[in-house]
Structure formats: structure tokens, C-alpha cells
Amino acid sequence: MNDAIRPQPGILEIALYVSGESKLAGHDDVLKLSSNENPYGPSPRAKAAFAEAAGNLHRYPSTDHVALRRALGEIHGLDPDRIICGVGSDEVLQFVTQSYAGPGDEVITTEHGFSMYPILAHAAGAVPVEVAERERRVDVDAILAAVTARTRIVFIANPANPTGTMVAEDDLRRLARDLPGAVILVLDGAYAEFAEGFDGGVSLVEEFPNVVMTRTFSKIHGLGGLRIGWGYARREIIDVLNRVRQPFNLSEAQMAAAEAAVRDVEYTRFCATENARWRDFLRQALVQMGVGCDESFANFVLARFASAAEADAVDRALKEAGILVRKVAGYKLPECLRITVGDEAACRRVLGVIAAFKGIR
Ligand SMILES: Cc1ncc(COP(=O)(O)O)c(C=O)c1O
């Protein structure tokens, strides 16, 4: 071992990201409800656009993503020049952290916040500062109290993963207003489309110069396997982020599928409507069985059992039945299981196993 070769400060602090399980020994037809994927898959138009792109694999993709940015601008009513696209929204979050935080800086995350935030902070050499939540809800006052002269970024997912809860828009506005002007507030809208009537943070980006919104094609658009996300902010910030972005970060196949997906507004609406219907059904049934469950604004619910031991036992029972959900002890929620909202059959199958576990007919 050559002791002279050392990674940059912070890199060895990174705890590797743990993704939802996807395989179960002894089961061929696993029901995967562990990664918040869209049970209906992507729009057929997105699949067709992806297949068509196969004819041009020898060509480099466009570096400016202009067609996709225009489509996003049209559908969401945004200025395409203030949009940046990335390899999943993870990459856009990385651009922000790499560009605005460095050694000695602090990055605020919250108690049950998405685990990529501390990873990205460490990767930039910055220190992640974890702020307590209040009953699984992000606490704006606690965040403001944690701000120091070293704070550079605050990360909030709204709706949040893995809790599914939301911060009210007025509280977000207060946070954006009261943060020092040099602190960037990242509003991660990976699940924004599942929260009816929510704009994902667009209005706050328009109102405040230090707010960045990120969005993804992995959830409502069912394109998690393709890795496409985007961000929206004031022009000066997008200009900075584009400087650290690799010119060919997205392939034509990714962009073509994403453009077709975002333009298929009817299909997007269908996915949101079905999700809301089965999410509420799942939650109500869990509550009736005595399982705690906050109102969720995303495409999953967080089931709270009596203890970590009970959550583990339910997880085992689900696995025996060929169902994968997400254990969230790593998110400081050991008594909980995060269950992606599937289609009707998937929801009924999960509920059947939990009911049997609890001895309910
Ligand atoms: C809160 C949150 N943000 C961002 C992401 C990253 O999504 P992607 O990189 O697939 O766009 C996820 C994925 O699970 C998420 O839950």
C-alpha cells in the first residue's frame, strides 16, 4: 500500500449509497416496491423515441440539450435557458454541491433526508450538518437555527424521501427569505408531480435568487433506468453549473425518451391519478390494521410498526411472499418500512401479507 496516495479530504467519510433491493433468492416474479419506481413504466411514446434513437448510435449527442430543455420549458412554463439537464437529478445535485461547497464549508441536510446529500457534501470536501426533524417533517426553524457563516447549501426534498411528508409553501418561502443571501436552498422535487397542485418550487425559484429546483424523469415518468434529471434556477447559477457539466453527459436516446415522456401530458396525468388513488387506499388500509402512516405526497408510504423488531419481521414475511420493500433504519427510521405504491394488484398483495402477519383476515 502506498501511503502517499490519498484521496481528497472527505472521500473516505462517504458511506456508500444503499439502493433498494431488486432480487430475492428462490423467487422469479419478485414484486419490487423498494425503489419508488413507476409501476406502469414509461409512456409508450418514450419507449418508441428511445428505440428510434438506436439508428444514430454512432453520432455524438447534442451538448446543449436544447430540444429537451425547450420541451421542459413549454410543458412547465419555464425559461429553457435557465434549465440544466443531468444524468438523473443526482447529477444536478452533484453540480450544485461541487460548484458551491468546498473544504471547510457546511451543507445542511435533515434527520431523515435523502442519503445522497451527505455523500455529495463529503465528495466536495464539505461537512454535512444534520438538522433534527419534527415528527418526520422538515423543521424550517431548526434549519435556520443551524445556519452559520460557513453554511453554503441547504438540501430539502419536497415531498421528502423516505417520509413522504411536505413542507408548506409558506414555510419554504420563509426559509428562502430568511437564509443568508449566500446560501443556496436546493428544493429537490423528485416527487413533486405526485403532490397535487404543487409546482415543485418553480415560484420560489422565480422569487428568490438563491433557490435551485431539481426534478427527475425517474419517478412519475418511469425512466429510472435511463438516468435523466434536470434543474431550474436563475441564469447565473445555471451558467456556473454548466461549467462543471461534461459536454456529452446525456445521450440522444436519453434525451429523446425524456422529451417524448414530458410531452405526453395525458400519460403523466394518468400515472399521478392512479398513484394518488392507490396511495390513499394503501395508507387507509394500513391505518385500519393499526400500522402508523403519515399522509404521503409521494409515490410511496412510510409504514410505522410498533418496533424495529416488528418492522424486520414484516419485512421477512413480505420477502417470503416475494415482495421487496425498503428498510429505512439507515434513515434513522428502524421501526418503519417504505413501500412504493404499486398498481392495484401490488397494493392488495402487500396488504394481504401484512394482514396475515397481524392475524387479520
Ligand atoms: C429525494 C430524491 N432526490 C433525488 C433522487 C435521485 O433521482 P434520480 O437521480 O434518479 O433523478 C431520488 C431518487 O430516489 C430521491 O428520492
Side-chain angles (χ1 to χ4, degrees):
M1 182 67 185
N2 180 350
D3 280 349
I5 297 179
R6 286 201 199 104
Q8 289 292 312
I11 304 289
L12 292 178
E13 314 282 324
I14 294 173
L16 290 185
Y17 181 82
V18 181
S19 65
E21 293 172 282
S22 57
K23 289 202 173 74
L24 256 182
H27 292 271
D28 293 334
D29 64 334
V30 172
L31 174 56
K32 187 180 174 211
L33 302 174
S34 54
S35 297
N36 300 337
E37 293 154 340
N38 184 330
Y40 311 102
S43 152
R45 293 185 197 165
K47 287 195 225 177
F50 180 78
E52 204 181 315
N56 265 328
L57 295 182
H58 56 305
R59 302 279 178 216
Y60 270 88
S62 90
T63 59
D64 60 10
H65 312 151
V66 66
L68 176 56
R69 288 189 294 104
R70 268 195 204 131
L72 286 164
E74 266 173 50
I75 300 300
H76 293 282
L78 307 174
D79 176 358
D81 289 342
R82 294 166 53 201
I83 294 174
I84 184 166
C85 302
V87 180
S89 52
D90 276 348
E91 194 185 34
V92 181
L93 297 168
Q94 183 193 330
F95 297 153
V96 177
T97 320
Q98 180 187 354
S99 302
Y100 289 99
D105 293 335
E106 292 173 355
V107 171
I108 293 185
T109 65
T110 62
E111 188 179 355
H112 309 299
F114 182 46
S115 60
M116 278 307 291
Y117 307 149
I119 290 178
L120 294 170
H122 281 307
V127 180
V129 174
E130 189 185 291
V131 172
E133 297 191 11
R134 208 184 266 238
E135 295 281 306
R136 299 168 300 284
R137 283 170 181 81
V138 168
D139 181 344
V140 162
D141 295 302
I143 291 177
L144 286 169
V147 171
T148 72
R150 295 179 171 203
T151 308
R152 292 285 163 270
I153 301 172
V154 174
F155 280 115
I156 294 180
N158 210 32
N161 173 22
T163 58
T165 61
M166 272 188 96
V167 186
E169 186 158 340
D170 280 352
D171 283 333
L172 282 182
R173 180 166 290 107
R174 186 159 63 83
L175 177 61
R177 189 194 62 210
D178 292 352
L179 279 174
V183 177
I184 289 193
L185 172 60
V186 175
L187 297 178
D188 175 343
Y191 301 96
E193 296 88 347
F194 298 110
E196 208 189 328
F198 179 50
D199 72 0
V202 169
S203 53
L204 295 177
V205 173
E206 303 298 3
E207 218 172 308
F208 298 96
N210 56 336
V211 177
V212 175
M213 174 186 76
T214 58
R215 303 285 283 266
T216 184
F217 281 88
S218 303
K219 309 298 174 185
I220 192 102
H221 295 300
L223 290 170
L226 258 196
R227 315 301 304 124
I228 317 140
W230 55 284
Y232 188 61
R234 73 183 318 200
R235 208 176 289 241
E236 290 82 345
I237 292 180
I238 295 299
D239 173 60
V240 168
L241 305 186
N242 267 319
R243 288 166 195 265
V244 298
R245 178 176 70 77
Q246 289 191 31
F248 303 109
N249 64 330
L250 288 182
S251 67
E252 283 303 327
Q254 282 169 298
M255 290 186 276
E259 184 183 343
V262 74
R263 287 192 185 282
D264 196 345
V265 175
E266 205 178 307
Y267 187 78
T268 309
R269 201 176 300 127
F270 160 80
C271 294
T273 307
E274 288 300 297
N275 176 72
R277 176 187 306 174
W278 298 111
R279 174 182 65 198
D280 296 347
F281 170 79
L282 189 57
R283 173 170 179 248
Q284 272 167 25
L286 286 168
V287 170
Q288 270 165 18
M289 285 191 251
V291 178
C293 195
D294 296 318
E295 182 177 10
S296 167
F297 296 88
N299 67 341
F300 54 85
V301 298
L302 186 71
R304 281 194 329 276
F305 295 92
S307 63
E310 190 183 25
D312 286 348
V314 172
D315 184 57
R316 278 196 299 276
L318 288 166
K319 279 190 168 132
E320 273 164 29
I323 303 172
L324 286 171
V325 299
R326 185 78 132 91
K327 290 175 86 167
V328 282
Y331 283 92
K332 301 194 170 70
L333 295 161
E335 74 286 12
C336 298
L337 295 175
R338 192 193 69 190
I339 307 171
T340 301
V341 178
D343 58 13
E344 176 178 359
C347 291
R348 291 191 187 279
R349 210 170 132 190
V350 173
L351 290 169
V353 175
I354 298 177
F357 176 88
K358 292 211 157 250
I360 301 165
R361 299 188 81 232

